[in-house]
Amino acid sequence: MLSFLIMNMAPGNPVDMFINPNVPPEMRELRKELLGLNDPVYVQYFKWLAGVLRGELGYSFSSYAPVTELIGARIGPTLLLASSSLAVGLIIAIPIGILSAVKHNTRLDYLMTGLSFLGTSIPPFFLGLGLIYILGVELKWLPTGGMKTLGGDGGFADIAIHLIMPVLVLGMTIAGKKVRYVRASMLDVLGQDYLRTARSKGLSEWAVTNRHALRNALIPIIAVIGAEIPLLLGGSIIIEQVFQWPGIGQLTMEAILSRDYPTLMGLNLVAASVVLLTNLLIDILYAAVDPRIEFN
């Protein structure tokens, strides 16, 4: 409801954004009437809500295509980008965080922590533009944008090479934030009495760290990772614009600029669903990681 109200409070409307300024005012009013924009805001909202309850998200004001089709066509590329970036970020963050915790208060720890701050502080759009200039324009190693080569086959290799730079940008951002969480969680666990007991029984440091400490340290890490997923989908808006990736982020920007209310509301509904499903998944993973937690 708040999203719908805020969108309708924004200046401009879909008719003003797309119709030629020379069109007579009566034609504009007719167009608004056909789109239902002359109805009170609460009437527009309940019409949209009634459609949702019927499984319909309405039609785009700009392309007149069903919103479900627009989102369905874009959600695949966004999920591919987000999941690949999250995997790369965790592959970088977890080993570095563990190493930083094991070697805490050493030069290696300070170096790892400093690099994590660097990864967090560099704006993703700036890093993306830098990679485009260096790897795409100067060295010509990678394509500068898009999801596939124009006129190409659009196969796995073609998509993978286009995926490298946006995944590097998002993955480095995720890793920069998660290294400190992994380090802090591991440090908290490494000081526990049961680990000192495990060492006194002759277990190797590798077994103590990776078989016993890591599993118990994963509980707070899972919570942080779960909170990252909705933020990752939102943060991909900028990256998709920079790299012209045809996903939900790019669709969101197009819908904002065109005041496409049905598409924006559909995207908000998807985002809210992702948050709810992510929280459910986190609860399930808690029980999978920690045997002390059981489903009631």
Side-chain angles (χ1 to χ4, degrees), residues 44-227:
Q44 296 181 44
Y45 173 75
F46 283 110
K47 283 183 177 180
W48 175 82
L49 185 60
V52 172
L53 295 176
R54 295 193 303 269
E56 302 170 0
L57 296 180
Y59 291 84
S60 167
F61 284 168
S62 57
S63 65
Y64 306 110
V67 173
T68 50
E69 290 184 9
L70 292 176
I71 296 176
R74 301 293 190 101
I75 197 167
T78 292
L79 290 177
L80 175 63
L81 176 60
S83 59
S84 302
S85 302
L86 185 62
V88 169
L90 295 179
I91 288 171
I92 296 171
I94 291 177
I96 291 178
I98 294 173
L99 183 61
S100 185
V102 172
K103 303 292 184 182
H104 68 284
N105 294 333
T106 63
R107 290 183 179 179
L108 182 61
D109 179 26
Y110 297 145
L111 175 63
M112 298 299 183
T113 305
L115 289 175
S116 73
F117 277 112
L118 184 65
T120 304
S121 60
I122 297 177
F125 73 88
F126 180 80
L127 180 59
L129 292 173
L131 289 179
I132 287 174
Y133 178 74
I134 295 171
L135 300 179
V137 177
E138 291 294 323
L139 299 177
K140 302 186 185 304
W141 288 354
L142 296 170
T144 58
M147 185 176 174
K148 57 185 72 173
T149 304
L150 290 175
D153 60 354
F156 175 79
D158 190 23
I159 295 175
I161 199 170
H162 283 80
L163 197 61
I164 292 174
M165 280 201 286
V167 165
L168 276 177
V169 173
L170 284 174
M172 290 297 292
T173 304
I174 293 169
K177 291 185 287 187
K178 297 298 171 281
V179 164
R180 288 174 293 143
Y181 285 111
V182 176
R183 178 184 180 275
S185 184
M186 283 295 295
L187 281 175
D188 183 58
V189 172
L190 287 172
Q192 298 295 322
D193 292 338
Y194 69 90
L195 290 183
R196 284 194 287 269
T197 303
R199 292 189 185 96
S200 68
K201 289 183 176 180
L203 289 178
S204 66
E205 193 61 31
W206 186 94
V208 170
T209 302
N210 294 284
R211 289 177 57 190
H212 297 278
L214 179 59
R215 187 165 184 178
N216 288 282
L218 281 177
I219 297 295
I221 295 171
I222 288 173
V224 172
I225 293 171

Side-chain angles (χ1 to χ4, degrees), residues 229-263:
I229 294 174
L231 296 176
L232 182 60
L233 293 177
S236 65
I237 293 176
I238 298 173
I239 298 305
E240 288 184 9
Q241 286 294 109
V242 171
F243 291 100
Q244 293 301 298
W245 189 262
I248 283 181
Q250 197 176 64
L251 178 63
T252 301
M253 285 302 301
E254 293 170 358
I256 290 171
L257 295 175
S258 62
R259 306 294 190 272
D260 191 348
Y261 303 147
T263 303

